[in-house]
Amino acid sequence: MADDVLTIADRTFSSRLIMGTGGAPSLEVLENALRISGTELTTVAMRRINPAARGSVLEVLQRCGIAVLPNTAGCFTAGDAVLTARLSREALGTNWVKLEVIADERTLLPDPIELLDAAETLVDDGFVVLPYTNDDPVLARKLEDVGCAAVMPLGSPIGSGLGIRNPHNFQLIVERANVPVILDAGAGTASDAALAMELGCAAVMLATAVTRAQEPALMADAMRRAVEAGRLAYRAGRIPRRFHAEASSPMEGRATFDPEAPAF
């Protein structure tokens, strides 16, 4: 699908799978999964990395030629998130940020008020902002209105593997969006990624589903294929759902048996 690239802000990607790095049992397992996934963009939590350290996640990404997308995981306020984003820009030399402002540790759901506040501040500060958000069509539109380069609604809570709990909301978000809509959080297996793409998402962001799978590399391969298949299905256009059967062949020209004049 060389002619069907993912465009976010001023950059294009041939892969529509964005990987995270959290939860991998080792850097070796992580690197293998990243390579097989085909991802070109990977998130890292600024609170977990030391850019100067040897043997770090950043070294893995550099070796694989994968762009880094720092995130603000663990931030509970707009102020913390803005500060973390600015520190990541200084440390990593990128103005891209996956913005996370969570409401509490139990659900890890986004705090919509703090999120919108932080997004507006970071956009004004020259950041390319990709916010992790609720599957709320109104909030998604407001994030786009303040200048976010994409919106990343959750399918279900982080790490839950429950898939997309509200496909209808995803459709509503996709219908109104003028920026890429990226599934973020909730994918548990390949069919979840395929569904997101079939609903019209531009990409899928996931980590736990791969890094904590029994065979991370195998699941990374499955996710890559699922994203590609879902995208193809979306572009092809699914048939309408019907409550009753509809024959695929016309009724005309059927053979009928006449017991008074058998053909054979």
Side-chain angles (χ1 to χ4, degrees):
M1 294 192 290
D3 62 332
D4 183 35
V5 297
L6 168 64
T7 301
I8 304 175
D10 59 349
R11 297 170 65 178
T12 59
F13 304 89
S14 58
S15 171
R16 292 178 180 272
L17 177 59
I18 303 172
M19 285 281 296
T21 54
S26 70
L27 289 179
E28 181 181 6
V29 169
L30 176 64
E31 180 169 349
N32 197 26
L34 289 173
R35 289 185 183 279
I36 291 175
S37 75
T39 188
E40 298 166 294
L41 185 63
T42 298
T43 64
V44 293
M46 278 304 298
R47 61 176 177 163
R48 293 193 300 111
I49 64 169
N50 177 359
R54 296 182 63 83
S56 68
V57 171
L58 289 180
E59 283 192 347
V60 171
L61 300 185
Q62 290 169 356
R63 205 159 44 236
C64 296
I66 299 173
V68 61
L69 175 61
N71 70 37
T72 61
C75 292
F76 289 86
T77 68
D80 288 346
V82 169
L83 174 61
T84 302
R86 288 172 175 164
L87 290 173
S88 72
R89 182 167 59 184
E90 292 294 320
L92 302 177
T94 177
N95 66 340
W96 282 48
V97 63
K98 181 194 167 193
L99 177 61
E100 296 184 25
V101 188
I102 56 176
D104 60 71
E105 292 185 347
R106 183 171 183 271
T107 65
L108 298 180
L109 292 174
D111 183 320
I113 297 172
E114 296 292 317
L115 178 69
L116 189 60
D117 186 16
E120 190 166 15
T121 300
L122 290 172
V123 169
D124 289 344
D125 200 16
F127 279 88
V128 175
V129 181
L130 288 71
Y132 160 66
T133 179
N134 298 292
D135 60 350
D136 178 349
V138 175
L139 179 58
R141 191 173 71 249
K142 288 183 178 296
L143 289 166
E144 181 180 341
D145 288 345
V146 300
C148 291
V151 290
M152 305 180 73
L154 58 87
S156 49
I158 291 173
S160 67
L162 291 172
I164 299 176
R165 307 305 292 172
N166 197 336
H168 180 61
N169 272 22
F170 268 73
Q171 288 181 306
L172 293 175
I173 294 171
V174 168
E175 285 175 4
R176 296 289 300 273
N178 295 304
V179 296
V181 178
I182 302 170
L183 168 67
D184 185 7
T189 189
S191 57
D192 299 327
L195 175 59
M197 300 304 292
E198 291 172 3
L199 291 171
C201 287
V204 170
M205 161 75 212
L206 55 85
T208 306
V210 166
T211 59
R212 291 181 177 164
Q214 293 181 23
E215 296 287 344
L218 199 58
M219 185 60 83
D221 192 20
M223 291 297 186
R224 177 179 63 81
R225 294 170 190 261
V227 167
E228 292 173 353
R231 178 65 179 175
L232 285 173
Y234 173 72
R235 293 179 66 190
R238 64 157 296 130
I239 63 170
R241 290 183 171 86
R242 300 178 184 278
F243 288 106
H244 304 289
E246 182 183 68
S248 58
S249 300
M251 299 299 283
E252 294 79 11
R254 291 174 298 163
T256 55
F257 177 68
D258 183 352
E260 301 298 326
F264 300 98

